[in-house]
Every structure is written in structure tokens, then in C-alpha cells.
Amino acid sequence: MYSPGLQISRITIVALLILGVLWVLRPFLSPLLTALIIVVATWLPYSWLVRQLGNRKALAAAIMTLLLTVLILIPTFFLGGQVTKAATILVETLKDRFQGGIGEPPAWLLTLPLVGEHIKAYWDHLLNDAGSGTELLQRIYDPAKRLITSIASGVVNGVLQILLAIFIAFFAYRDGQQWSMWLRNAARRLSGDIGTHMVDVAGKTILGVMVGILGTAAAQGLVAYIGFKIAGVPNAGLLGAATFLTSMLPAGPVLIWLGAAYWLYDQSLTGWAIFMVIWGAAGISSVDNVVRPVLIAHTASLPFLLIALGTFGGIIAFGFVGIFIGPTLLALAVAMTNQWLNHRNTITHSERL
């Protein structure tokens, strides 16, 4: 006999159980989502490896996690350390440069229209008032030190999250088929055939977004590395890796190649600086407009605005690994909403007929 009170009690118990599970997993939610995204995106290579190893899933999972460590964890740790080191050197260089005073302003700064005269007047005030100059430098130096501390903390946190994600990925690879069957059965019980179809859409969307993001990032990093080597910029490999990471942020690579162009200009290599600007604008930054649509077109589609919001929102919510989680979650929401709407429209059309 149907009892509304009993039904409400069951729903309440299930809801409380789900909330309890999420509360327990909350500290591990970020690496867990990262691991699942990585495993879904690399499931085809893992399946091929399982077949080559005679269906030994544990061995294949161990090899895949080792590859993830080599390809993701070690470069992230190295690059994070280099970024922290570079930020520290930059702050100390600025401190040493202005230790004896701020000096004369660059001539080009004074010739800027509208603001040049105001800059000159303020600079003269700083030159004549040592206290003001010292106060200004202190205002710059203290936040810079806090920024270095924040960068170092973010690097350590990001490395730990990736390490935990790789650990979880081992079990996701090994037991992935059971997890997939459980998820598909649960989706079928909740929504019938449309539920299992949306699970398939989710898998294709994750693969499409990851291929689009990482493929575009790799292409931009390679083009940037070639440009830096041609122009003779030092640490071209490191700058190419930095371009790879920042390409996941809107306008991120611009900061890298503009910095390289400024370094060339500061070294009186004006011709190479101009080359770097042209290469950056026409080559590095244009890759995003060509490669990303080609990579995502046949698997998943996500507007640029949602990519930007997903990237920044993911970083705020999940830290460094949010670069992958944010856009993927938004893409999943868009794809599954479209599938649900199409399904509803199909039902409505059938009812009208």
C-alpha cells in the first residue's frame, strides 16, 4: 500500500545519505573530479594497453599512472618551482635596482600623450622627497612578497592535488568498467534510456573538452617555443611550458610573448622584439582560433565565454586543477541540458502527432 509519509521518509534518508557522502568526500572532491576527467579522457589508450597485456588491468593501470606521473606531475612540479624562483628573483632585482632611489624615469614614459606630464610631476616629487619614494617602494615590495608566498603555496597545493588525483586514477582505471556499469544502471533506473544516453554524452563531452583544451595548449606551447628559439630568447623550453599552461587562461599566452618581446627590446634587439610581437599575435595567439574549433567540433562545443568563466571559476573553486574541472563541468551541463531539451521536444512532437 502506497504511503506518502513512507515515501517522503525514504527520500529524506537517501538525501541525507548523499549529503553525508559529499561532506566526507569534500576535501577530496577536487582531485577526485580531476582523476575521473583524466581517466575518461585517456580510457582508449588504457583499453588498448589492457589488451596488449593480456587483460591484466592492474598492471595496465599501474603503467598509466606512471605515465601520468611523468607527463603531468613532474613537469608541474618543475614548472611551479621555476615560476616561484623567477618571481623571487624579479622582486629581489627590483629591490636592488631601487635600493639607492628610484632614479630617472624612462624617456618614453614621459612622452606618453595626456599622462606624460603628470607622470613627470609625480616622479619629480618622489625624487625630491626620499620618504615618499621609500614608502612607495615599500608598498610595492610587501605585496610582492605576499604574492610570492601565495604562488609557492599554490604550487605546493597544486602538486599535492595532482599527486592525489593520480593515486585515485589508478583505482579508476582498474575498476572503471564496474564504475561505468553502476553509473549506467543508476541512470537507467532514474531516467530510462535517456539516462544512459546522457551518460554517453557526458563521456564524449569530457573527451572533447580535454582534447580541445590540451590540444590547443600543446599547439600554442610548441609555436611559442619555436618563436622563442628563433628570436634567441633564453629558457625557451621553460617559456614554452609556461605558454602551454597559461593558454588555458584567456589571453594568458599574451603575457608570456609580450614579456619576451620586452626583454628583447630591453637588450636593444629592437628587430627581434618586433618579430616576437608579430610572431606572438599572428602565430601563438592565433592558434587558439584555428586549433580549438577543429579539435572540439566533432565531440563537444562550448562558447568562449563559458570557457573563460569555467576556467576562472574552476581555479577559484578548486585551485590549479580547476583549469580542467571548470570548463568540463560547464560543458557537461550545457551538453546534458541540450540533450534533455531535445528529448522533451521529441516527446512533445510525438504527442502532437
Side-chain angles (χ1 to χ4, degrees), residues 194 337-351:
I194 183 64
T337 301
N338 289 335
Q339 288 295 321
W340 179 76
L341 291 175
N342 292 336
H343 180 70
R344 296 290 299 176
N345 292 336
T346 302
I347 293 177
T348 302
H349 181 69
S350 299
E351 291 176 349

Side-chain angles (χ1 to χ4, degrees), residues 88-259:
T88 304
I89 293 175
L90 176 61
V91 172
E92 294 300 326
T93 300
L94 291 175
K95 179 183 177 182
D96 294 339
R97 183 171 182 177
F98 294 115
Q99 195 71 40
I102 61 175
E104 293 294 332
W108 63 267
L109 190 61
L110 303 181
T111 59
L112 293 176
L114 300 179
V115 297
E117 294 183 1
H118 298 285
I119 293 175
K120 184 178 186 306
Y122 182 66
W123 205 288
D124 290 340
H125 170 70
L126 294 177
L127 286 173
N128 297 326
D129 188 349
S132 298
T134 303
E135 182 182 356
L136 176 63
L137 293 176
Q138 196 68 27
R139 289 179 181 177
I140 297 174
Y141 184 67
D142 289 342
K145 287 200 302 183
R146 289 195 294 270
L147 177 62
I148 292 174
T149 304
S150 177
I151 291 175
S153 176
V155 168
V156 173
N157 183 58
V159 170
L160 290 177
Q161 287 190 354
I162 293 175
L163 179 62
L164 185 55
I166 292 175
F167 174 74
I168 296 173
F170 170 81
F171 299 96
Y173 280 125
R174 191 190 65 180
D175 306 322
Q177 288 185 336
Q178 288 85 348
W179 293 9
S180 177
M181 290 176 59
W182 178 86
L183 182 60
R184 293 175 67 85
N185 289 334
R188 184 180 294 108
R189 289 289 300 272
L190 290 173
S191 305
D193 291 338
I194 183 64
T196 56
H197 179 64
M198 292 179 77
V199 170
D200 295 335
V201 170
K204 292 180 180 178
T205 302
I206 291 175
L207 178 60
V209 171
M210 290 299 291
V211 168
I213 292 176
L214 295 180
T216 304
Q220 285 190 305
L222 178 60
V223 173
Y225 170 76
I226 294 173
F228 296 144
K229 289 294 286 186
I230 293 175
V233 179
N235 297 318
L238 178 61
L239 291 176
T243 304
F244 170 80
L245 289 178
T246 57
S247 67
M248 302 172 197
L249 302 172
V254 176
L255 300 176
I256 306 299
W257 59 258
L258 272 183

Side-chain angles (χ1 to χ4, degrees), residues 7 41 162 211 216 235-236 238 292-293 312 315 334 336 352:
Q7 185 71 9
I162 293 175
V211 168
T216 304
N235 297 318
L238 178 61
R292 191 190 301 270
F312 286 116
I315 292 174
V334 170
M336 297 180 76
R352 288 176 180 176

Side-chain angles (χ1 to χ4, degrees), residues 25-35 161 165 317-319 321-322 325:
L25 295 178
R26 185 172 57 91
F28 311 103
L29 188 59
S30 176
L32 178 61
L33 289 174
T34 304
Q161 287 190 354
F318 300 104
V321 293
I325 297 175

